[in-house]
């Protein structure tokens, strides 16, 4: 993180605050230590009545803190006049402001009346034609027609902005903008405010934090909501893109593109820039989205390794949940390692990524007429007809490769020479085309290798190798651009998808569920290169991207559909419906696998409750609901200090009379991690849960548990009888196991099975001996 000293007047003349500058003309900048940017929480109940607005009070508090700090550092001051260091005043996402402060100024502020906490402003990174039908969405039945495709639900996307001219944001078929919408289409550089329409109803941008951290950025940024990166255009169109015919990625995956909620509205909040992204801007974006009146927030970004009370996403989204806004976030791309999930926030949805059953394929036709398929995303229509072909084994000798430029080179992955090394060699050698023989299932970004490349599995590889061995003059044709559907086992948990447990709150099993996130086709900024061939950059209105950044907006779209069908449901109820109806069985009717751990079944630490199933989520039967006070009770049980809890809840009077770590959550995680004198002694852990009936009035459910290795699980009562809608029934899940498990993680499922056969309400259970 760049450190910096704020003595340049120019970089801080933020027009909004010009009228308050007089407060600071007396402030002389301290030379004791460089300034850093901080996000400061204040207790608004401590504000003297004399102040008309919170902002004025923040300004005054800051002014006196700066004055105090100046006095206490006598003899070291210079005469530079420092303008207002306030970057943002926040009103909803948190009570407080962000500002640039030296260490002594921060110390002085800490003793001000009303001060609650300060966190450093940190840099943050952002982590289809087909994914909708893969999820079972269709026009004839289910949640699409019943939700009117998410009509009128407003989705706020905090990301890198939007490409408003993209056909995915056309407003064909959209009704009038609802009167409750308070947002606006802010004009700016290369972005006329008339570019919004009935689909894209809001566009705003937040760059003050970026500029405060990196003053040079002021000269280069496109200061408007225009998306120069493409990421925000991709996520927004995945969640709520309108119908676009004939969309494809250079001919791959052709068809009609549409988002998960094609009739929902999009409001774009740009806080990710080509120059970087900072949490102060992200908070400002969430703050404004709350004020504008979004219904669902989509955050394909996150911060690693911070406790909840220092996590700007956790803090700002608590305010969103308080207002009934559903928040969908990405789990991160740091898998397949455990303890890597971010956004492990108990009040948001944390979405992992899965692969679909789609392959991008090409065909290799050998000189003897035999054809085999390979995987490829090579964008150009280059044709290789009767081109000489040579087998080079592991392509680890660059000099030899350089001698055979005009041939199709066949390379084979070995333990010694990784795919990465071989691809690098072939790239440098500039061979005509390349065929790799590999059994790597998860090719990830290799598929977009900048030369004509095809990836063959070992069976097809043997066919080619035998042909080359036998034929005195081996040749082949290569044909690219085919997409095959239903061709493989799916979904599978993606290798890159971050895994639980969550270090910020291990008591809550995260991620919550998974959604498609591998090679997702969606709209793209046409000025941002979609791929590169050789040194040539190629551009496209649509592109394929992979990441939990892509799976998050799928869940966002599903939440919008559910909000339309069930406007009365709380964010926790919507999350519960998505989780308990998700699938843990794949298209081959076997347990969903984990591509990050070949030949193993995906555990809930990888996929949460399972693969999202929008049609089933509409009608879950029972839900695990939670209120705001339940989250407060959890924070109290985590033994956070009063200030830490207040940082999250904003309220200075949190009721901690009944601390309770057992949140009414639709999943379970217990730790059996006492590796001490008596590791085999049996201990018991209990969970108390309440189910609310949102299905048929008269309904009976029976508990069903799958076996869990080393653990004895039981449920009491094991039968729940409901007689009316919204009735609550409680139960207790008891897990008995050794103080120290023999395996890192064991898991199973608790299902409440409707006796009339309409519903199965399934929750994952994880027992783990892992420690942070
Ligand atoms: C890309 O989209 C623009 C509108 O934003 C359209 O004019 C152009 O024809 C599209 N290009 C292709 C190749 O479809
Ligand atoms: C913005 O668009 C409107 C309507 O198309 C046009 O009249 C106006 O000149 C445009 N403004 C700019 C700055 O381009
Ligand atoms: C792989 O590398 C090891 C150590 O460098 C070497 O001993 C071995 O012969 C290599 N195997 C092959 C198949 O090249
Ligand atoms: C390789 O792919 C072919 C289809 O192209 C399939 O029949 C074969 O089983 C695959 N082999 C392996 C080892 O996956
Ligand atoms: C695409 O691949 C599928 C499956 O291998 C094959 O049946 C089809 O003929 C191919 N289409 C084209 C245009 O090559
Ligand atoms: C909080 O403190 C109590 C009392 O000291 C202790 O029993 C409990 O385990 C602590 N909880 C956590 C999550 O550390
Ligand atoms: C705190 O909550 C408890 C029940 O959980 C309630 O009895 C008590 O009145 C509450 N206290 C305040 C100050 O609201
Ligand atoms: C558990 O305890 C045993 C015996 O003290 C020790 O050998 C082992 O390394 C410990 N395992 C872990 C993961 O801490
Ligand atoms: C059931 O529990 C929910 C969530 O705790 C609560 O909001 C609701 O009021 C309860 N319903 C009844 C009928 O008690």
């Amino acid at each position: 993180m760049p450190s910096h000293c704020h003595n340049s007047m120019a970089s801080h003349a933020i027009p909004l605050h010009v009228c308050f500058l007089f407060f600071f003309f007396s402030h002389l900048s301290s030379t004791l230590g460089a300034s850093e940017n901080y996000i400061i929480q204040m207790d608004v109940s401590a504000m003297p009545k004399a102040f008309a607005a919170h902002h004025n009070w923040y300004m005054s508090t800051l002014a006196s803190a700066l004055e105090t700090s100046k006095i206490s550092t006598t003899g070291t001051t210079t005469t530079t006049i420092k303008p207002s260091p306030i970057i943002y005043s926040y009103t909803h996402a948190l009570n407080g402001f962000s500002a640039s402060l030296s260490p002594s100024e921060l110390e002085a502020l800490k003793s001000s009346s009303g001060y609650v906490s300060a966190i450093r402003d940190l840099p943050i990174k952002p982590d289809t034609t087909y994914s909708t039908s893969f999820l079972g969405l269709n026009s004839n039945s289910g949640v699409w027609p019943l939700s009117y495709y998410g009509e009128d639900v407003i989705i706020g996307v905090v990301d890198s902005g939007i490409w408003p001219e993209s056909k995915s944001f056309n407003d064909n078929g959209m009704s009038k903008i609802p009167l409750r919408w308070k947002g606006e289409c802010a004009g700016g550089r290369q972005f006329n405010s008339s570019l919004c329409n009935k689909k894209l109803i809001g566009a705003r941008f937040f760059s003050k934090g970026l500029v405060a951290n990196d003053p040079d950025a002021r000269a280069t940024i496109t200061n408007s909501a225009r998306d120069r990166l493409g990421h925000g255009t991709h996520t927004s169109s995945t969640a709520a893109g309108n119908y676009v015919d004939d969309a494809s990625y250079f001919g791959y995956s052709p068809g009609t593109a549409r988002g998960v909620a094609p009739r929902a509205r999009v409001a774009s909040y740009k806080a990710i820039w080509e120059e970087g992204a900072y949490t102060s801007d992200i908070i400002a974006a969430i703050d404004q989205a709350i004020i504008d009146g979004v219904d669902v927030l989509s955050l394909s970004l996150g911060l690693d390794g911070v406790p909840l009370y220092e996590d700007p996403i956790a803090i700002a989204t608590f305010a969103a949940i308080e207002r009934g806004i559903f928040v969908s976030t990405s789990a991160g791309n740091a898998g397949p390692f455990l303890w890597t999930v971010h956004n492990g926030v108990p009040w948001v949805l944390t979405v992992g990524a899965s692969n679909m059953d789609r392959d991008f394929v090409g065909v290799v036709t050998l000189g003897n007429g035999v054809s085999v398929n390979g995987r490829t995303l090579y964008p150009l229509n280059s044709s290789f007809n009767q081109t000489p072909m040579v087998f080079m084994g592991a392509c680890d000798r660059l000099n030899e490769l350089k001698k055979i430029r005009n041939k199709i080179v066949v390379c084979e992955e070995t333990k010694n020479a990784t795919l990465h090394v071989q691809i690098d060699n072939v790239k440098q050698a500039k061979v005509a085309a390349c065929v790799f023989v590999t059994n790597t299932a998860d090719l990830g970004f290799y598929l977009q290798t900048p030369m004509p490349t095809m990836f063959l599995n070992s069976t097809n590889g043997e066919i080619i190798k035998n042909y080359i061995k036998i034929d005195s003059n081996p040749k082949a044709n290569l044909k690219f651009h085919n997409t095959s559907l239903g061709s493989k086992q799916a979904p599978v948990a993606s290798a890159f998808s971050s895994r639980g447990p969550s270090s910020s709150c291990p008591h809550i099993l995260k991620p919550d569920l998974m959604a498609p996130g591998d090679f997702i086709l969606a709209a793209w900024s046409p000025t941002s290169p979609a791929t590169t061939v050789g040194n040539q950059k190629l551009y496209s209105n649509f592109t394929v991207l992979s990441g939990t950044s892509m799976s998050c907006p799928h869940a966002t779209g599903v939440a919008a559909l559910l909000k339309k069908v069930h406007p009365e449901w709380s964010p926790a109820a919507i999350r519960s419906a998505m989780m308990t109806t998700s699938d843990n069985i794949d298209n081959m009717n076997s347990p969903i696998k984990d591509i990050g751990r070949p030949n193993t079944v995906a555990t809930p630490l990888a996929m949460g409750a399972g693969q999202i199933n929008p049609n089933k989520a509409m009608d879950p039967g029972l839900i695990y609901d939670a209120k705001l006070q339940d989250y407060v009770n959890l924070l109290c049980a985590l033994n956070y200090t009063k200030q830490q809890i207040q940082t999250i809840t904003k309220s200075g009077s949190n009721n901690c009379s009944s601390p309770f770590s057992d949140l009414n959550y639709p999943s379970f995680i217990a730790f059996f991690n006492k590796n001490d004198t008596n590791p085999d002694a049996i201990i018991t852990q209990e969970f108390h849960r309440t189910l609310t009936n949102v299905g048929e009035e008269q309904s009976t459910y029976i508990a069903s548990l799958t076996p869990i290795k080393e653990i004895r699980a039981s449920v009491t009562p094991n039968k729940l009888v409901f007689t009316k809608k919204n009735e609550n029934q409680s139960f207790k899940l008891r897990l008995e196991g050794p103080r120290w498990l023999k395996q890192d993680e064991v898991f199973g499922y608790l299902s409440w099975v409707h006796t009339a056969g309409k519903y199965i309400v399934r929750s994952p259970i994880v027992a783990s001996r892992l420690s942070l």
Side-chain angles (χ1 to χ4, degrees):
M1 137 135 219
S3 81
H4 44 269
C5 214
H6 292 293
N7 42 21
S8 142
M9 180 87 187
S11 74
H12 276 269
I14 297 165
L16 198 64
H17 298 134
V18 161
C19 51
F20 296 104
L21 277 179
F22 66 89
F23 266 119
F24 300 96
F25 278 1
S26 62
H27 171 63
L28 308 173
S29 87
S30 158
T31 55
L32 280 187
S35 291
E36 297 272 11
N37 296 331
Y38 292 90
I39 294 149
I40 313 289
Q41 284 256 27
M42 299 290 287
D43 181 355
V44 290
S45 68
M47 181 175 86
K49 294 215 165 42
F51 289 98
H54 294 159
H55 180 75
N56 305 23
W57 178 49
Y58 302 151
M59 297 294 287
S60 151
T61 304
L62 189 54
S64 16
L66 299 186
E67 190 64 23
T68 310
S69 128
K70 189 191 78 184
I71 292 163
S72 66
T73 57
T74 43
T76 58
T77 56
T78 71
T79 52
T80 316
I81 291 170
K82 187 174 169 180
S84 161
I86 279 199
I87 301 165
Y88 288 107
S89 255
Y90 303 112
T91 58
H92 287 66
L94 53 79
N95 294 324
F97 56 92
S98 45
S100 169
L101 301 167
S102 71
S104 60
E105 291 165 351
L106 180 63
E107 279 319 302
L109 188 64
K110 283 182 178 171
S111 28
S112 306
S113 150
Y115 168 88
V116 176
S117 66
I119 56 177
R120 279 266 305 283
D121 187 10
L122 294 174
I124 197 164
K125 276 208 193 94
D127 294 315
T128 75
T129 54
Y130 181 60
S131 51
T132 52
S133 63
F134 181 66
L135 290 176
L137 290 165
N138 71 84
S139 310
N140 302 324
S141 62
V143 70
W144 256 2
L146 283 166
S147 69
Y148 305 98
Y149 303 86
E151 188 177 83
D152 267 355
V153 178
I154 301 168
I155 296 177
V157 182
V158 177
D159 210 301
S160 62
I162 199 147
W163 195 269
E165 296 89 355
S166 166
K167 287 181 184 153
S168 291
F169 309 116
N170 79 62
D171 62 0
N172 297 341
M174 302 288 296
S175 56
K176 260 182 23 206
I177 297 170
L179 288 173
R180 66 193 166 90
W181 176 242
K182 296 196 278 289
E184 73 167 49
C185 191
R189 199 163 156 220
Q190 297 168 10
F191 200 108
N192 190 330
S193 61
S194 68
L195 284 170
C196 290
N197 58 21
K198 288 180 286 189
K199 161 62 78 180
L200 175 64
I201 63 171
R204 299 186 188 262
F205 52 100
F206 303 85
S207 58
K208 290 177 196 166
L210 168 71
V211 170
N213 282 287
D214 173 12
D216 293 344
R218 179 185 291 278
T220 59
I221 57 173
T222 305
N223 217 20
S224 72
R226 175 152 314 267
D227 181 11
R228 294 244 149 247
L229 287 167
H231 192 268
T233 299
H234 202 276
T235 55
S236 301
S237 62
T238 299
N242 210 334
Y243 300 84
V244 184
D245 290 334
D246 302 323
S248 79
Y249 171 78
F250 301 104
Y252 293 93
S253 197
T256 301
R258 86 279 270 172
V260 173
R263 286 285 173 261
R265 322 265 183 188
V266 175
S268 176
Y269 296 86
K270 177 173 173 182
I272 295 173
W273 302 81
E274 286 164 286
E275 292 80 1
Y278 284 88
T279 54
S280 54
D281 289 328
I282 304 282
I283 297 175
I286 297 174
D287 200 42
Q288 190 61 52
I290 295 172
I291 297 169
D292 290 348
V294 304
D295 301 311
V296 180
L297 258 178
S298 196
L299 306 174
S300 287
L301 45 88
L303 209 55
D304 291 327
V306 279
L308 294 176
Y309 51 83
E310 286 179 4
D311 182 349
I313 306 294
I315 296 167
T317 55
F318 194 89
I321 298 299
E322 204 170 356
R323 289 159 181 84
I325 299 168
F326 186 90
V327 183
S328 176
T329 68
S330 49
N333 300 339
F337 310 105
L338 299 175
W339 292 109
T340 49
V341 68
H342 62 205
N343 294 317
V345 177
W347 41 92
V348 307
L349 182 77
T350 313
V351 187
S354 58
N355 294 18
M356 289 187 284
D357 62 347
R358 171 175 59 192
D359 255 337
F360 304 104
V361 296
V363 184
V364 184
T365 306
L366 307 175
N368 62 7
V370 172
S371 295
V372 294
N373 276 349
R375 285 181 286 167
T376 182
L377 263 178
Y378 183 65
L380 299 182
N381 272 323
S382 327
S383 59
F384 294 86
N385 290 328
Q386 296 297 309
T387 309
M389 183 161 68
V390 56
F391 178 62
M392 294 296 290
C395 288
D396 52 0
R397 298 170 309 276
L398 184 57
N399 287 339
E400 286 179 38
L401 286 171
K402 281 183 174 165
K403 293 177 200 142
I404 41 154
R405 285 198 170 157
N406 302 322
K407 296 182 178 173
I408 299 171
V409 174
V410 180
C411 305
E412 187 170 40
E413 187 181 26
T414 65
K415 280 211 173 65
N416 276 11
T418 62
L419 214 46
H420 186 83
V421 168
Q422 296 194 38
I423 288 176
D424 230 43
N425 281 338
V426 172
K427 234 189 285 184
Q428 283 189 52
K430 298 197 170 73
V431 301
C434 188
V435 171
F436 278 104
V437 179
T438 170
N439 272 331
T440 300
D442 201 16
L443 288 171
F445 297 106
Y446 294 145
L447 263 195
Q448 274 148 307
T449 297
M451 61 202 167
T453 308
M454 210 108 35
F455 294 88
L456 269 55
N457 69 19
S458 56
T459 314
N460 293 338
E462 282 307 314
I463 295 174
I464 290 206
K465 279 160 60 185
N466 286 335
Y467 162 72
I468 295 176
K469 214 181 284 173
I470 294 166
D471 200 297
S472 56
N473 188 13
K475 287 189 166 72
N477 296 354
L478 299 187
K479 193 170 166 296
F480 299 93
H481 294 109
N482 195 347
T483 304
S484 77
L485 305 178
S487 55
K488 58 182 181 187
Q489 197 164 17
V492 291
S494 304
F496 61 77
S497 190
S498 290
R499 311 300 161 98
S502 153
S503 56
S504 58
C505 189
H507 306 279
I508 305 295
L509 175 59
K510 292 278 181 176
D512 292 314
L513 46 68
M514 61 181 188
D518 203 49
F519 295 111
I520 301 301
L521 181 82
W524 187 245
S525 298
T527 60
S528 181
T531 191
T532 308
V533 169
N535 298 322
Q536 186 192 356
K537 293 185 167 71
L538 299 176
Y539 300 88
S540 173
N541 287 337
F542 287 84
T543 199
V544 288
L545 293 181
S546 299
T548 53
S549 276
M550 283 66 241
S551 57
C552 165
H554 278 92
T556 304
V558 174
L561 300 175
L562 296 180
K563 253 206 126 108
K564 181 69 184 184
V565 180
H566 301 289
E568 74 286 3
W569 281 7
S570 69
I574 292 175
R575 178 175 58 195
S576 173
M578 287 179 176
M579 288 171 66
T580 63
T581 60
S582 64
D583 297 323
N584 60 355
I585 299 295
D586 65 22
N587 61 353
M588 310 276 175
N589 230 359
S590 66
I592 289 176
K593 304 292 185 303
D594 184 346
I595 208 166
R597 297 173 172 188
N599 306 317
T600 61
V601 167
T603 84
L605 291 180
M607 67 170 184
Q611 170 87 351
I612 196 167
N613 185 327
N615 290 326
K616 275 162 72 188
M618 189 175 52
D619 192 12
L622 304 174
I623 53 177
Y624 294 85
D625 205 353
K627 292 208 210 33
L628 217 60
Q629 182 61 40
D630 299 328
Y631 298 123
V632 176
N633 292 344
L634 170 66
L635 297 174
C636 302
L638 293 175
N639 297 336
Y640 288 177
T641 67
K642 192 171 177 297
Q643 277 73 21
Q644 287 165 347
I645 296 174
Q646 186 176 358
T647 296
I648 295 166
T649 65
K650 284 90 199 171
S651 162
S653 53
N654 291 299
N655 188 342
C656 265
S657 67
S658 46
F660 199 55
S661 66
D662 197 3
L663 184 66
N664 199 36
Y665 213 78
S667 59
F668 305 87
I669 182 165
F671 291 90
F672 295 83
N673 55 3
K674 304 288 186 297
N675 187 15
D676 51 21
T677 47
N678 197 358
D680 293 327
I682 297 296
I683 53 169
T684 300
Q685 304 204 34
E686 286 187 351
F687 299 87
H688 300 260
R689 292 288 190 272
T690 299
L691 280 161
T692 305
N693 181 22
V694 296
E696 287 170 2
E697 288 204 336
Q698 310 268 347
S699 45
T700 301
Y701 289 81
I702 307 285
S704 159
L705 283 157
T706 63
I708 307 174
K709 281 180 195 150
E710 298 187 65
I711 299 285
R712 240 185 67 193
S714 58
V715 175
T716 42
N718 64 3
K719 177 175 167 186
L720 298 177
V721 179
F722 296 89
T723 57
K724 45 183 192 293
K725 262 233 151 101
N726 295 323
E727 183 181 345
N728 292 335
Q729 293 290 350
S730 296
F731 70 90
K732 195 167 76 184
L733 170 71
R734 200 178 144 96
L735 302 179
E736 287 171 75
R739 290 169 65 79
W740 174 247
L741 280 174
K742 291 188 176 56
Q743 295 161 81
D744 281 349
E745 50 173 316
V746 292
F747 68 96
Y749 294 93
L750 163 63
S751 298
W752 286 99
V753 181
H754 185 225
T755 52
K758 193 165 172 196
Y759 308 107
I760 295 176
V761 185
R762 199 191 65 245
S763 292
I765 303 168
V766 171
S768 173
R769 70 168 184 189
L770 299 166
S771 298
L772 250 186

